[in-house]
């Protein structure tokens, strides 16, 4: 039986997939984190959202 | 989800040994207050969850399942207190026996112990709201909006949504702070490079212009384009190790620090004044300080909650959510303190930024002071640098700011007394250095420019990374909030719709236009209800308490439908039905039957008539119930299973107890006559006080039966419905035989009205009376045992069109051509 929370999360992942600032790896990371059942911690989410990017130019 | 086939309770609460068998169907437990009904409810709850909610919450300090779960005479022997539930798991189509003992209340045994069955039980245990008591229903209606929101969110298990939102909000804020910090680092690094290059702006053209002049002096190739990997001092290294000292650049760095030094007196002046003012307020109001200290403590504790054990005091709570709610409530109580805390930390953050910027300037001077500074100056600068960087990092909590009060009062910058002089001395020393040869100046210029460019690039990379992360954090937070808000909006709209529909169905007679509005706003959930078309008002404004109770029940069902959907297969309604007034009981039964046909309701009530009505209305089957008559500490509930009234009367007569049998028959006739008058639309002589007795009702019902059969006969003739003709004929014949056999309607009426005479009858004589009435009432019931409902007409108002029973086995047209 789908819970209200899981329905919201499913819709959340779908909406995020249309975002230009959140990539597939981040969404997968978030999905795994939420599904793990572990206590949600800001540090874990920050680790997912701060993966390295290409260098800039000066 | 589970359904209950049987319950066996032993030495638990007020019960010694009791077995009831609902058979996975709705079941009613009736009995006066104190007869043990709640013991059954407690037992079911205990078996499913290991808890007894009656022993927790307000006013229950010192009460525990271990000590107060067993029967009082077994209080020292909790192993004797045990509940066994025989369960059916609809989705698995399996049965199992769950046994839980008070001594080992946290665990239960299961036979057979299969994962699917265990999962269904554990899922049920996650829904304590499935056991609803009357005192709980009003918490959805007559409460302050914030409280209602909490209760409903708890019931719908929406706290997790709030928790996720809160963590994502923290993520967003921390990523924004990281970006702001990275932005400042870029500015500081750019300033250092710009100062060294001695250019107004850091455009590629200006950088290359400054660099290429020096490269030309050294005979190095001109750099035409500044790329990500461009090295400004490419070629310089080839001749040996470069020097990092550049006289002109050093003088500019010294000048920059001296410029800032000139502003030290006013730098952060306003913020420091505000900080000192707030710190004084805190010192003068120890309670406020205590609240803030506790606030920080509670905030940290809330973030650390992971399970039922409080991270602050080690108290074991019944569940994690209650613990969190408790901590959140503590935070909510300290709004004034929160305001001061925000202001204080905001000002402190500004000071931290200033300290950070000054420390960057100091860091550019340190190498100069080390090689060329006056004696001891490098030590002075190092200590000051340490002070500034430490200060910048230690102003993020109230306790930290409070600990720095003396520093704020004395001057937070704490510039060394000799700073001005020694900076001037160092400047003179640098100035007095012989001018570097053009080639050395060019070489050191390029080397330092490359160092600072690398610093800029590093800072820029960090900033870009932080910007991307910040954007992602914002998007994740906003998306979640939007999705949750939209979902909850739709959810509340659906709940509002179901709630209004259910209430209208129960109160169709006088509130057929009822509607409700649930409006979520900032952690609150406002509820407004229509009052007879006069507008929308809070439910407690004009509606009677009975109606408010009814609203509570309807809102509960609407919420359960949304929460569990088709999984809503079981609920215990502990005295909840008493919220429904007499005039609306029929509709209440209909609502439960029609809207929740697959749900097993275990219902307790102290009103035996209500229990009977549930059976008559088909909400519970004829024998699906148990009646508690009284209770004693030695025996527990004294009860008998609900049986047909005729079986009970036969039992009385078997004991030659005519008075009891007569009383029971009289009450049954009173109830049945009222019910039939209503079902058949009989018209007794009107009484302004609505106090109809058996003498008013029974003749009217018998007369009405005759009228309806005449109508049915005419309609059958008109429509040439041979089947209906035969049915009506058979009913008329049976009716005539019943009435004629006992001397006509008058005999029946007189004996019923003057039933006091019955007490003088012999058992044999009274058996004849019973038989007469039994035969009479059978005329009004469907003969099919599985239906056994009263006949009724439809529509209820106006000319009757059909005479039927619930199963439609009898369905006679009453409308002639």
């Amino acid at each position: 039986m789908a819970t209200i929370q899981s329905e919201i999360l499913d819709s959340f992942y779908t909406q995020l997939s249309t975002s230009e600032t959140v990539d597939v790896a981040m969404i997968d990371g978030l999905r795994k984190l939420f599904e793990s059942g572990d206590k949600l911690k800001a540090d874990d989410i920050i680790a997912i959202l701060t993966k390295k990017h290409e260098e800039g130019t000066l | 989800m589970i359904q209950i086939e049987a319950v066996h309770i032993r030495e638990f609460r007020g019960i010694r040994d009791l077995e009831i068998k609902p058979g996975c169907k709705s079941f009613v437990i009736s009995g006066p207050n104190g007869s043990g009904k709640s013991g059954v409810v407690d037992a079911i709850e205990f078996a499913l969850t290991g808890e007894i909610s009656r022993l927790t919450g307000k006013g229950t300090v010192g009460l525990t399942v271990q000590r107060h779960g067993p029967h009082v005479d077994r209080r020292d022997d909790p192993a004797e207190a045990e509940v066994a539930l025989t369960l059916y798991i609809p989705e698995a189509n399996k049965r199992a026996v769950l046994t839980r003992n008070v001594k080992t209340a946290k665990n239960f045994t299961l036979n057979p112990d299969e994962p699917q069955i265990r999962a269904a039980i554990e899922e049920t245990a996650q829904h304590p709201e499935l056991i609803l008591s009357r005192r709980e229903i009003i918490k959805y209606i007559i409460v302050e909006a914030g409280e209602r929101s909490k209760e409903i969110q708890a019931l719908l298990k929406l706290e997790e949504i709030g928790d996720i939102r809160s963590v994502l909000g923290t993520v967003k804020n921390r990523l924004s702070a990281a970006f702001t910090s990275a932005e400042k680092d870029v500015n500081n690094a750019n300033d250092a490079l710009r100062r060294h290059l001695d250019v107004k702006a850091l455009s590629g053209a200006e950088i290359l212009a400054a660099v290429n002049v020096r490269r030309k002096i050294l005979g190095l190739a001109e750099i035409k384009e500044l790329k990500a990997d461009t090295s400004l001092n490419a070629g310089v290294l080839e001749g040996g190790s470069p020097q990092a000292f550049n006289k002109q650049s050093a003088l500019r760095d010294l000048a920059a620090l001296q410029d800032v030094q000139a502003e030290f007196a006013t730098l952060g002046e306003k913020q420091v004044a505000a900080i000192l003012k707030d710190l004084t307020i805190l010192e003068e109001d120890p309670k406020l300080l205590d609240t803030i200290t506790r606030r920080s403590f509670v905030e940290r504790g809330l973030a650390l909650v992971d399970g039922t054990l409080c991270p602050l005091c080690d108290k074991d709570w019944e569940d994690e959510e209650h613990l969190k709610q408790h901590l959140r409530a503590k935070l909510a109580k300290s709004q004034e303190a929160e305001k001061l805390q925000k202001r204080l930390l905001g000002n402190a953050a500004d000071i931290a930024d200033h300290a950070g910027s000054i420390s960057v300037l100091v860091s550019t001077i340190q190498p100069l002071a080390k090689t060329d500074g006056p004696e001891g100056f490098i030590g002075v600068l190092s200590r000051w640098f340490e002070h500034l960087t430490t200060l910048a990092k230690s102003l993020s909590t109230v306790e930290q700011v409070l600990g720095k009060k003396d520093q704020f009062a004395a001057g937070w910058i704490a510039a060394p007394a000799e700073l001005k002089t020694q900076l001037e001395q160092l400047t003179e020393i640098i100035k007095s250095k012989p001018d570097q040869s053009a080639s050395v100046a060019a070489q050191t210029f390029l080397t330092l420019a490359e160092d600072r460019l690398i610093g800029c690039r590093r800072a820029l990379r960090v900033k870009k990374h932080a910007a991307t992360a910040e954007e992602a954090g914002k998007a994740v937070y906003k998306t979640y909030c939007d999705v949750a808000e939209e979902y909850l909006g739709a959810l509340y709209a659906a709940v509002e719709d179901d709630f209004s529909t259910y209430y209208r169905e129960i109160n169709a007679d006088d509130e057929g236009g009822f509607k409700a509005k649930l409006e979520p706003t900032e952690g609150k959930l406002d509820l407004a209800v229509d009052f007879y078309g006069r507008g929308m008002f809070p439910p407690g404004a004009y509606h009677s308490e009975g109606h408010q109770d009814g609203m509570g029940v309807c809102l509960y069902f609407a919420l359960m439908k949304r929460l569990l959907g088709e999984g809503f297969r079981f609920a215990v309604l502990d005295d909840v039905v008493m919220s429904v007034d007499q005039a609306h009981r029929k509709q209440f039964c209909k609502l439960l039957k029609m809207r929740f046909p697959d749900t097993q309701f275990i219902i307790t009530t102290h009103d035996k008539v209500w229990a009977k009505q549930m059976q008559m209305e088909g909400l519970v089957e004829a024998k699906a119930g148990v009646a508690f008559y009284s209770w004693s500490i030695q025996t527990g509930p004294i009860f008998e299973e609900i049986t047909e009234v005729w079986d009970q009367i036969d039992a009385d007569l078997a004991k030659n107890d005519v008075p009891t049998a007569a009383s029971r028959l009289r009450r049954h006739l009173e109830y049945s006559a009222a019910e039939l008058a209503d079902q058949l639309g009989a018209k007794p002589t009107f009484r302004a006080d609505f106090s109809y007795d058996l003498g008013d009702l029974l003749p009217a019902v018998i007369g009405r039966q005759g009228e309806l059969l005449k109508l049915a006969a005419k309609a059958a003739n008109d429509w040439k419905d041979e089947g209906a003709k035969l049915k009506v004929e058979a009913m008329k014949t049976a009716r005539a035989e019943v009435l004629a056999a006992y001397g006509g309607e008058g005999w029946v009426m007189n004996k019923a009205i003057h039933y006091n005479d019955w007490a003088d009858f012999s058992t044999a004589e009274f058996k004849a009376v019973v038989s007469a009435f039994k035969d009479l009432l059978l005329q009004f019931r469907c003969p099919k045992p599985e239906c056994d409902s009263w006949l009724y007409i439809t529509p209820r108002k106006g000319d009757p069109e059909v005479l039927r029973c619930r199963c439609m086995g009898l369905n006679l047209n009453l409308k002639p051509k």
Side-chain angles (χ1 to χ4, degrees):
Chain A
M1 184 175 57
T3 64
I4 290 170
Q5 292 89 329
S6 66
E7 285 178 10
I8 289 177
L9 282 176
D10 284 345
S11 181
F12 169 60
Y13 302 136
T14 307
Q15 290 285 316
L16 271 189
S17 65
T18 64
S19 165
E20 291 177 359
T21 50
V22 183
D23 61 29
V24 177
M26 289 178 182
I27 297 171
D28 283 348
L30 290 172
R31 191 192 299 272
K32 278 179 193 158
L33 185 66
F34 284 124
E35 286 175 359
S36 70
D38 294 342
K39 182 175 170 55
L40 207 55
K41 289 176 184 156
D43 286 340
D44 295 336
I45 298 174
I46 287 172
I48 292 169
L49 301 182
T50 52
K51 71 182 184 93
K52 296 291 177 193
H53 293 272
E54 289 174 14
E55 291 186 3
T57 305
L58 185 77
Chain B
M1 195 51 72
I2 56 105
Q3 291 191 317
I4 294 181
E5 204 161 82
V7 185
H8 189 183
I9 307 163
R10 198 162 52 81
E11 301 293 358
F12 183 84
R13 302 288 287 155
I15 296 169
R16 304 307 303 249
D17 195 341
L18 172 71
E19 185 168 21
I20 59 171
K21 294 179 178 173
C24 299
K25 292 174 181 169
S26 289
F27 191 83
V28 61
I29 302 166
S30 66
N33 290 333
S35 62
K37 302 184 298 297
S38 294
V40 178
V41 175
D42 289 347
I44 293 172
E45 182 190 14
F46 170 72
L48 291 172
T49 67
E51 302 285 342
I52 305 171
S53 56
R54 218 178 295 277
L55 299 183
T56 58
K58 280 184 184 172
T60 57
V61 178
L63 301 183
T64 64
V65 171
Q66 279 280 331
R67 289 174 60 196
H68 306 100
H71 185 275
V72 65
D73 290 345
R74 292 286 190 172
R75 62 188 179 280
D76 296 326
D77 198 0
E80 286 298 307
E82 190 170 271
V83 182
L85 300 183
T86 306
L87 301 173
Y88 173 64
I89 318 300
E91 59 264 35
N93 191 25
K94 287 181 176 173
R95 285 175 164 75
V97 177
L98 178 165
T99 307
R100 198 187 290 262
N101 191 290
V102 170
K103 190 175 182 183
T104 52
K106 296 259 179 196
N107 304 308
F108 62 86
T109 61
L110 197 57
N111 186 22
D113 193 346
E114 295 178 14
Q116 204 176 5
I117 299 173
R118 191 166 274 272
I121 292 167
E122 284 167 357
E123 188 207 346
T124 306
Q126 294 300 310
H127 292 281
E129 67 278 0
L130 289 172
I131 295 167
L132 181 73
S133 69
R134 191 180 180 192
R135 68 179 182 279
E136 284 170 330
I137 55 175
I138 210 67
K139 70 186 178 187
Y140 304 119
I141 301 296
I142 307 300
V143 285
E144 180 264 320
E147 207 54 39
R148 178 186 300 114
S149 174
K150 277 185 209 161
E151 293 292 352
I152 289 180
Q153 290 207 1
L155 187 139
L156 292 175
K157 307 206 176 302
L158 301 181
E159 306 95 333
E160 195 184 325
I161 295 170
D163 289 347
I164 293 174
R165 195 172 359 209
S166 166
V167 172
L168 293 180
T170 303
V171 167
K172 178 181 78 96
N173 293 338
R174 281 176 53 183
L175 291 176
S176 288
F179 173 71
T180 305
S181 169
E183 214 170 21
K184 283 175 189 156
D185 288 347
V186 168
N187 290 340
N188 286 333
N190 284 351
D191 278 350
L193 177 60
R194 188 187 45 72
R195 204 165 52 242
H196 172 67
L197 297 176
D198 198 19
V199 295
K200 286 186 177 172
L202 273 188
S203 69
E206 292 219 41
I207 293 170
L208 289 182
V211 165
N212 283 330
V213 169
R214 274 77 179 186
R215 291 186 66 82
K216 195 174 178 185
I217 292 170
L218 296 173
L220 297 171
E222 182 187 355
I223 298 172
K224 293 191 173 357
E225 191 184 355
L226 188 62
K227 296 179 183 173
D229 57 352
T230 300
S231 172
L232 301 180
N233 64 341
V236 172
L237 285 175
E238 288 161 12
S241 60
Q243 291 181 35
F245 173 73
N246 179 277
K247 185 177 173 182
Q248 295 309 315
S249 180
L251 289 172
R252 284 194 291 275
D253 286 342
L254 282 163
L257 185 55
Q258 284 168 316
D259 287 348
V260 174
Q261 187 201 9
E263 295 171 9
F264 279 177
T266 54
L267 192 63
E269 196 178 24
K270 281 185 185 171
Q271 288 91 337
V272 168
I275 287 171
L276 287 172
K277 191 178 168 190
D278 283 338
L279 291 181
T280 306
I281 292 173
L282 285 177
E283 283 176 344
E284 287 173 357
D285 187 352
K287 224 174 170 183
L288 188 62
L289 177 61
D290 189 46
T291 308
I292 287 187
T293 310
R294 283 169 188 274
R295 213 185 141 72
S296 307
F297 186 59
V298 174
E299 274 174 343
R300 268 183 235 135
L302 186 58
L304 291 170
V305 170
D306 189 11
T308 58
L309 210 61
C310 176
L312 304 176
C313 69
D314 276 351
K315 181 188 169 185
D316 196 5
W317 287 69
E318 65 260 41
D319 62 58
E320 186 176 326
E321 194 44 42
H322 274 84
L323 169 58
K324 282 185 178 173
Q325 276 179 10
H326 177 73
L327 295 177
R328 285 193 197 108
K330 276 183 176 291
L331 289 176
K333 278 181 189 168
S334 52
Q335 285 179 343
E336 189 195 346
E338 184 189 12
K339 212 172 154 187
L340 189 143
Q341 187 181 16
K342 271 189 177 174
R343 191 173 60 225
L344 185 68
L345 294 182
N347 286 320
D350 287 348
I351 297 298
D353 285 347
H354 288 316
S357 297
I358 298 170
S359 70
V360 171
L361 288 175
V362 174
S363 70
T364 62
I365 306 302
Q366 280 175 297
L368 301 175
K370 190 175 181 183
T371 53
D372 299 299
E375 195 182 341
F377 190 36
I378 180 61
V380 168
L381 280 187
S382 297
R383 284 191 292 280
W384 189 38
F385 178 80
E386 180 67 24
H387 159 75
L388 291 168
T389 49
T390 304
L391 183 69
K393 287 177 190 163
S394 56
L395 292 177
S396 52
T397 68
V398 173
E399 290 85 351
Q400 286 175 337
V401 179
L402 201 61
K404 302 283 181 196
K405 193 194 170 194
D406 290 344
Q407 288 186 21
F408 283 118
W412 62 274
I413 299 177
E418 57 273 59
L419 179 69
K420 189 169 183 294
T421 322
Q422 294 197 326
L423 274 179
E424 285 167 0
Q425 285 177 19
L426 181 56
T427 303
E428 288 309 313
I429 291 168
I430 299 296
K431 275 183 183 170
S432 66
K433 276 180 174 275
D435 285 342
Q436 290 170 313
S437 67
S439 62
V440 170
Q443 187 193 44
T444 54
F445 182 91
L446 291 176
T447 301
L448 200 51
E450 177 64 12
D451 280 354
R452 293 195 179 182
L453 178 64
I454 288 170
C456 286
R457 283 174 172 154
R458 192 184 303 120
L460 200 63
R461 275 199 302 276
V462 172
K463 182 188 158 188
K464 284 192 77 171
H465 186 207
T468 309
E470 187 200 26
E471 286 304 312
K474 281 181 182 170
V476 165
Y477 177 71
K478 184 174 185 308
T479 305
Y480 188 82
C481 290
D482 288 350
V483 166
E485 194 176 325
E486 188 182 340
Y487 188 96
L488 292 180
L491 176 78
Y492 286 136
V495 168
E496 177 186 297
D497 192 43
D498 286 336
F499 165 52
S500 303
T501 304
Y502 297 164
Y503 188 82
R504 276 197 303 271
E505 286 181 5
I506 291 179
N507 299 278
D509 54 338
D510 62 344
E511 287 194 86
F514 177 86
K515 59 186 176 187
K517 182 80 189 154
L518 267 174
E519 202 161 353
T521 48
E522 291 178 8
K524 295 179 177 178
L525 192 59
D526 288 310
L527 173 63
V529 296
D530 168 76
F531 187 71
Y532 296 94
R534 302 297 197 277
M536 303 296 282
F537 304 96
Y542 298 111
H543 279 92
S544 69
E545 285 185 16
H547 282 89
Q548 291 166 26
D549 280 357
M551 285 180 207
V553 176
C554 291
L555 188 52
Y556 168 78
F557 285 129
L559 291 166
M560 293 310 289
K561 180 181 167 188
R562 290 298 144 189
L563 177 65
L564 298 173
E566 290 180 358
F568 184 38
R569 300 294 294 268
F570 163 76
V572 176
L573 305 180
D574 184 15
D575 214 23
V576 169
V577 294
M578 291 314 295
S579 307
V580 183
D581 62 51
Q582 202 154 2
H584 298 110
R585 289 175 177 182
K586 183 192 293 287
Q587 287 78 9
F588 179 81
C589 290
K590 191 176 168 191
L591 176 82
L592 264 57
K593 273 193 308 173
M594 304 302 286
R595 296 285 178 178
F596 305 100
D598 299 323
T599 306
Q600 177 191 29
F601 292 104
I602 307 281
I603 302 167
T604 70
T605 174
H606 59 257
D607 185 337
K608 279 189 177 180
V609 175
W610 211 153
K612 185 71 187 167
Q613 270 179 283
M614 288 178 217
Q615 293 170 323
M616 297 308 296
E617 295 300 333
L619 176 60
V620 296
E621 291 184 358
K623 295 182 181 179
V626 62
F628 291 177
Y629 290 109
S630 63
W631 176 90
S632 77
I633 198 162
Q634 293 83 9
T635 63
I638 299 167
F639 69 98
E640 64 177 75
E641 289 178 16
I642 291 177
T643 55
E644 276 287 341
V645 67
W646 307 114
D647 295 339
Q648 294 175 23
I649 291 170
D650 285 348
D652 294 335
L653 293 180
K655 292 182 278 188
N656 290 322
D657 187 356
V658 174
T660 302
S663 168
R664 208 186 292 279
L665 177 60
R666 170 75 182 192
R667 281 194 285 119
H668 182 62
L669 289 175
E670 283 169 341
Y671 164 74
S672 303
E675 189 65 20
L676 282 169
D678 183 46
Q679 300 277 17
L680 299 177
K683 297 182 178 69
T685 304
F686 177 74
R687 296 177 68 101
D689 61 0
F690 298 100
S691 169
Y692 296 100
D693 63 20
L694 194 57
D696 299 314
L697 295 172
L698 198 55
V701 166
I702 292 169
R704 179 63 165 168
Q705 182 201 29
E707 289 169 18
L708 293 171
L709 288 178
K710 276 181 194 169
L711 281 173
K714 183 167 188 328
N717 272 327
D718 284 0
W719 294 99
K720 298 187 172 41
D721 183 342
E722 297 305 320
K725 274 189 202 173
L726 287 173
K727 271 189 186 173
V728 174
E729 242 357 271
M731 289 175 75
K732 285 171 79 172
T733 304
R735 177 178 187 271
E737 281 174 5
V738 167
L739 298 180
Y742 299 101
E745 294 171 15
W747 184 92
V748 175
M749 281 159 42
N750 292 336
K751 288 297 175 191
I753 293 158
H754 305 293
Y755 84 109
N756 284 340
D757 295 347
W758 290 346
D760 301 328
F761 280 28
S762 68
T763 299
E765 285 171 333
F766 195 69
K767 274 185 178 173
V769 174
V770 171
S771 177
F773 281 109
K774 188 174 179 181
D775 288 347
L776 177 70
L777 292 183
L778 279 175
Q779 305 298 306
F780 299 94
R781 300 186 82 127
C782 173
K784 290 183 183 175
E786 65 274 20
C787 175
D788 197 34
S789 74
W790 292 124
L791 304 185
Y792 63 94
I793 57 163
T794 181
R796 301 294 293 270
K797 286 185 177 176
D799 292 336
E801 293 176 7
V802 182
L803 176 66
R804 62 164 63 128
C805 67
R806 201 169 60 231
C807 75
M808 310 279 274
L810 181 84
N811 192 30
L812 292 174
N813 177 25
L814 300 178
K815 221 172 167 185
K817 254 187 182 178

